[in-house]
Amino acid sequence: MSSTNAPAPAASAKPLPTASAQDFPTDFVWGVATSAFQIEGAHDADGKGPSIWDTFCRQPGTIADGSNGDVACEHYARWESDLDLIRDLGVDAYRFSVSWPRVRPTGDGEWNEAGLAFYERLVDGLLARGMKPYLTLNHWDLPQALQDLGGWGHRATVDRFVEYAIGIAKRLGHKVASVATHNEPWVVAQLGHETGIFAPGLKDRRLAAQVSHHLLLSHGLAVTAMRALNLPASLGIVLNMAPMYPATDSDADRARARLEDGKLRRWYMDPLFKGRYPQDVLDFLGDDAPHVEPGDMAKIQVPIDFLGINYYSRGMVSADDSFDPKQSGLELTDMGWEVYPQGLTDLLVSVHRDYPDARRLYVTENGGAFPDPVGADGRVHDADRTRYLDTHIAAVGEAIRQGVPMAGYMVWSLMDNFEWASGYEKRFGIVHVDYVTQRRTPKDSALAYRDFVLARRATRQG
Ligand code: IFM
């Protein structure tokens, strides 16, 4: 373990009490997750090009605390001690993303060997520590140079992404356990191009729909191209989902909940597993529906090895938008999201019911932002986050009992980091980061998760 930023001594913590009673398959993968832009910093080091998030953060008013990803958690420099930290959590896997502009600065043309070498060191470092690397290609940080040419709204970006996928797969695909094409394409399309609260900050519903189609198409083409390389890595995609419940039993609320489910989940899942867009959402989009070229849908519907699901909270839907989470009586996280573990079971069960071809499911992100400070004893007693993880892992166990083919669970996030438009104000980490000293301090939730994972491993070996 490194000297200056070593995690606090591994104090004992109660393992997650509810979850530990659950029955997980012996090969179930326990992990922690991060993404490049949120932790790496080193925004212009060693030949890295700017991403759309570097640009977006520099526009006044886009980020709550006026911050950016220039320094973040300095993971680009501290990757070795961070890997020690992950190893000491006892997890099987680390889910991370590659920064596209770090490895191919303009998204086209020359590759950046220094960037590629960084990820190769990271992957080798994980393997040397006995952990499986779970790589994501696109966790939102598109090279700015591609945005200047039209970004995800421009069909040529699909070809650039396929080149990027092939380049990374050739370099790392024989070492990593899995490659996910995109993380949460809904966020890129919706928040980046319709509401404009995320990079690139555009507000155009028609463009957003086209972006979603290009993301899906690039996924399918990248999987096909990577599959042709005959690599051992499993290939898939990661989607954000929330079960949508009608706020009342009224027809109007039920219809609206169905539509919201269509916009968030079926819009992505139907093309991936059924080769078509859902008709109700196409009707809703009307003239803003994407332009789809002949053959596109078949290219999207290629078999994948796994589906990653990111879950944080439920959706409660009323036709008049009157539902207020603050009045639900449920605990809220620092993001204002309801804590609702039952929603995770409901979601996983319904995905398995509606898409039986999704045969290997992971919860690739789950966690909560809570404002727990470092206490006088130098520790972070985040009972709220510990309880959140416990109850949500138990919810995954319940889904398994109901027959859902779950393969793994990853906590979001390994450490506090740049939470996009919220800047550094929201802390999702199970490891606390002091942004002045960059000291990492495992919170009580990290210790509980570690003890839980180690207990599972002992059962596995016993
Ligand atoms: O921090 C994000 C992550 O990048 C993608 N999924 C949701 C997380 C919490 O908002």
Side-chain angles (χ1 to χ4, degrees):
M1 211 174 286
S2 82
S3 49
T4 49
N5 283 293
S12 68
K14 281 193 185 137
L16 307 173
T18 317
S20 61
Q22 308 299 325
D23 202 15
F24 294 89
T26 49
D27 58 351
F28 194 83
V29 174
W30 298 99
V32 288
T34 64
S35 87
F37 190 83
Q38 293 177 273
I39 65 166
E40 284 179 4
H43 69 110
D44 59 359
D46 302 336
K48 177 183 170 292
S51 79
I52 56 173
W53 272 93
D54 290 306
T55 306
F56 187 67
C57 291
R58 282 168 171 70
Q59 292 165 15
T62 54
I63 311 298
D65 58 4
S67 65
N68 55 49
D70 290 6
V71 175
C73 306
E74 289 186 356
H75 171 72
Y76 186 73
R78 297 169 186 269
W79 65 273
E80 274 193 279
S81 49
D82 285 342
L83 292 194
D84 290 344
L85 180 58
I86 303 169
R87 178 202 55 209
D88 292 347
L89 291 175
V91 293
D92 306 302
Y94 175 51
R95 174 172 178 254
F96 65 98
S97 76
V98 172
S99 159
W100 186 351
R102 195 180 289 293
V103 297
R104 205 178 189 198
T106 60
D108 201 351
E110 289 301 303
W111 290 77
N112 180 28
E113 176 52 33
L116 290 165
F118 169 72
Y119 293 107
E120 186 146 45
R121 283 196 298 275
L122 189 75
V123 166
D124 288 343
L126 284 165
L127 295 174
R129 289 166 179 79
M131 292 178 288
K132 295 180 171 113
Y134 277 63
L135 183 154
T136 302
L137 288 168
N138 175 29
H139 201 121
W140 311 348
D141 42 0
L142 181 76
Q144 179 60 42
L146 292 185
Q147 187 61 44
D148 296 341
L149 298 173
W152 283 112
H154 186 43
R155 201 170 161 103
T157 301
V158 171
D159 301 326
R160 299 292 82 75
F161 182 75
V162 176
E163 292 165 7
Y164 165 51
I166 293 171
I168 294 299
K170 281 188 172 161
R171 184 74 177 241
L172 300 173
H174 54 297
K175 294 181 178 179
V176 298
S178 94
V179 178
T181 52
H182 298 292
N183 180 73
E184 303 183 355
W186 178 90
V187 170
V188 176
Q190 186 67 23
L191 304 189
H193 296 81
E194 185 167 341
T195 64
I197 60 169
F198 277 17
L202 302 173
K203 296 182 182 160
D204 179 337
R205 185 172 90 146
R206 180 180 223 156
L207 174 64
Q210 194 62 49
V211 163
S212 67
H213 180 64
H214 288 159
L215 287 164
L216 283 163
L217 181 61
S218 69
H219 155 81
L221 291 172
V223 166
T224 300
M226 290 191 285
R227 191 75 78 197
L229 299 175
N230 273 320
L231 298 164
S234 57
L235 307 175
I237 189 169
V238 172
L239 304 180
N240 54 310
M241 296 187 193
M244 295 293 175
Y245 305 99
T248 73
D249 220 19
S250 73
D251 288 349
D253 285 0
R254 288 157 66 98
R256 181 67 186 277
R258 169 90 186 144
L259 177 63
E260 293 305 321
D261 176 66
K263 287 156 63 181
L264 178 65
R265 177 166 66 151
R266 287 181 288 113
W267 184 257
Y268 295 90
M269 289 294 280
D270 283 10
L272 290 168
F273 292 101
K274 299 179 178 172
R276 58 168 189 264
Y277 284 111
Q279 191 56 49
D280 59 334
V281 185
L282 286 172
D283 293 345
F284 167 77
L285 286 172
D287 291 344
D288 290 340
H291 169 72
V292 177
E293 293 195 0
D296 281 3
M297 300 314 290
K299 289 174 184 149
I300 294 170
Q301 194 197 2
V302 291
I304 51 177
D305 304 315
F306 73 92
L307 172 72
I309 294 174
N310 295 350
Y311 174 82
Y312 290 89
S313 187
R314 67 176 181 179
M316 271 301 232
V317 186
S318 53
D320 60 2
D321 291 319
S322 62
F323 180 77
D324 178 2
K326 290 198 198 81
Q327 280 156 17
S328 73
L330 294 176
E331 185 187 1
L332 302 183
T333 70
D334 205 22
M335 301 293 281
W337 301 344
E338 294 171 305
V339 176
Y340 193 66
Q342 177 64 43
L344 181 52
T345 306
D346 292 350
L347 175 66
L348 296 171
V349 168
S350 68
V351 166
H352 179 51
R353 179 196 63 212
D354 298 342
Y355 304 94
D357 289 343
R359 293 207 181 84
R360 197 171 165 75
L361 305 183
Y362 289 84
V363 171
T364 31
E365 286 181 24
N366 177 238
F370 295 98
D372 313 281
V374 180
D377 59 357
R379 291 179 52 180
V380 181
H381 299 294
D382 57 340
D384 33 25
R385 185 177 291 96
T386 305
R387 195 167 53 246
Y388 182 103
L389 297 180
D390 175 21
T391 51
H392 284 78
I393 291 172
V396 176
E398 176 55 29
I400 292 171
R401 266 204 301 281
Q402 294 188 37
V404 183
M406 297 303 306
Y409 172 91
M410 319 231 173
V411 173
W412 185 271
S413 178
L414 163 67
M415 56 184 158
D416 296 335
N417 58 49
F418 177 77
E419 177 52 27
W420 308 111
S422 303
Y424 296 95
E425 288 176 352
K426 306 295 180 200
R427 292 178 176 269
F428 275 90
I430 57 173
V431 173
H432 180 272
V433 176
D434 178 327
Y435 293 116
V436 177
T437 62
Q438 289 292 345
R439 180 177 173 82
R440 277 81 159 129
T441 304
K443 305 177 188 179
D444 283 0
S445 57
L447 305 179
Y449 187 53
R450 174 202 64 189
D451 290 351
F452 170 75
V453 169
L454 293 178
R456 299 300 319 157
R457 185 161 305 145
T459 316
R460 222 187 259 175
Q461 285 157 356

